[in-house]
Amino acid sequence: MLSIGEFAQVTHLSIRTLRRYHDAGLLEPVRVDPATGYRRYDPTQIPTAQVIHRLRQLDVPLADVRNILHTDDADARAALVAEHLGRLEDRLEQTRTAVASLRRLLRPEPGVVVVDLRRESELPVAAVTVVVDEVDVLDAYAAAMAELDAAVPAPAGPPGGMYDNELFSHGRGRAVIYLPVDATAPPAVGPPGRVRAVTRPAADLAVTVHPGPHDTIDVTYGRLGGWVVEHALAVAGPVHERYLVGPRDTPDPDRWRTEIGWPVFRLAGAGPAGADRG
């Protein structure tokens, strides 16, 4: 048998960590001297220690590590690991998005942000309305578009969405995701799915276009919001997005173009607005 020091050396787990795993019931020594309290480990425990080490490197919580080790069903064990790996992948994507946004903020692109004041007329659309957490918007959008594509094989324009302020200010709110339809021949939509034939209301918007991947769209939102504060009167209402070019059109994110519309009060006769340097 191996002493705790020898076992620490061969497994690259510190003595302190081995003691903690013992107390947590993850990796118990085969023998503890009743007089001295010295722990002894069997060489056959090395693979188990290595598995624990790898799981902890992946930030698997101790409780989940215990469940994985104590589960005899291989499928159940694989499901537990896959669930955690999915959470890690989500966290990595969030980190990548934050890094991309930070880089753009620290090294702003030269040039100007062009903002147009535009009157959007009423528009017949097929829409899916959901109340969703902000972190789940992309998944909600993908699910809604799958239903919309099935219901509207020949849309009359690019897809779009309207997002209530609460979605950004409180992290949960209403999103209306839609495809424009021909007013003379609206699609026959209704139960049992979520798609409904509705009319997108008219709105006065300050509009700009975000170029490229969606990772840095928050930067464009910030620049547009800054322009609105300086040049217009913002009004209550959902933010409009229209996906002129997106993943549905090309796999190249550099070619994506997302139109963002900020609700404003537009003075009569107001035309295209100026530009503000970013």
Side-chain angles (χ1 to χ4, degrees):
M1 288 188 291
L2 302 172
S3 69
I4 190 171
E6 293 168 333
F7 196 72
Q9 183 176 0
V10 299
T11 60
H12 292 183
L13 294 172
S14 69
I15 292 176
R16 180 180 179 183
T17 297
L18 288 171
R19 288 171 176 163
R20 186 169 74 251
Y21 289 172
H22 179 194
D23 294 338
L26 285 180
L27 185 62
E28 299 184 6
V30 295
R31 181 170 178 266
V32 178
D33 190 295
T36 64
Y38 289 165
R39 296 169 172 87
R40 295 287 178 175
Y41 293 83
D42 192 280
T44 59
Q45 294 180 285
I46 293 174
T48 301
Q50 292 172 332
V51 168
I52 296 173
H53 183 47
R54 289 290 180 258
L55 291 173
R56 292 297 291 152
Q57 282 183 321
L58 293 173
D59 292 329
V60 178
L62 288 178
D64 290 347
V65 173
R66 186 183 301 108
N67 290 336
I68 291 170
L69 292 176
H70 293 171
T71 299
D72 294 329
D73 187 327
D75 291 338
R77 199 161 48 235
L80 288 170
V81 174
E83 180 181 354
H84 182 74
L85 291 179
R87 291 195 294 267
L88 279 181
E89 289 171 352
D90 291 342
R91 194 183 310 166
L92 287 172
E93 179 61 22
Q94 292 171 5
T95 301
R96 188 184 67 83
T97 298
V99 168
S101 180
L102 182 60
R103 282 176 174 166
R104 187 177 173 193
L105 286 168
L106 294 175
R107 293 184 295 182
E109 299 173 359
V112 297
V113 173
V114 177
V115 181
D116 292 325
L117 289 177
R118 180 188 305 168
R119 175 68 175 177
E120 290 284 353
S121 302
E122 290 185 345
L123 182 69
V125 299
V128 171
T129 301
V130 295
V131 176
V132 65
D133 292 332
E134 185 180 4
V135 296
D136 298 324
V137 165
L138 292 180
D139 290 339
Y141 176 83
M145 286 308 306
E147 294 185 46
L148 288 166
D149 285 336
V152 188
M162 295 182 294
Y163 304 94
D164 283 355
N165 295 332
E166 290 78 11
L167 186 61
F168 307 102
S169 59
H170 298 293
R172 183 173 177 82
R174 189 182 69 150
V176 180
I177 300 153
Y178 66 81
L179 278 175
V181 297
D182 186 348
T184 62
V189 296
R194 298 183 297 170
V195 179
R196 298 291 182 269
V198 299
T199 298
R200 189 197 67 184
D204 292 320
L205 303 173
V207 179
T208 193
V209 175
H210 169 74
H214 299 154
D215 296 346
T216 56
I217 198 170
D218 61 319
V219 179
T220 302
Y221 260 91
R223 296 172 77 180
L224 176 60
W227 185 95
V228 169
V229 169
E230 292 185 15
H231 298 89
L233 176 63
V235 298
V239 173
H240 291 236
E241 290 187 3
R242 189 161 58 164
Y243 311 105
L244 306 178
V245 182
R248 295 156 54 87
D249 309 298
T250 173
D252 181 3
D254 290 334
R255 296 172 57 191
W256 296 352
R257 296 294 181 270
T258 304
E259 194 175 75
I260 305 170
W262 197 294
V264 295
F265 178 77
R266 183 184 182 193
L267 297 177
D276 186 33
R277 294 190 176 274

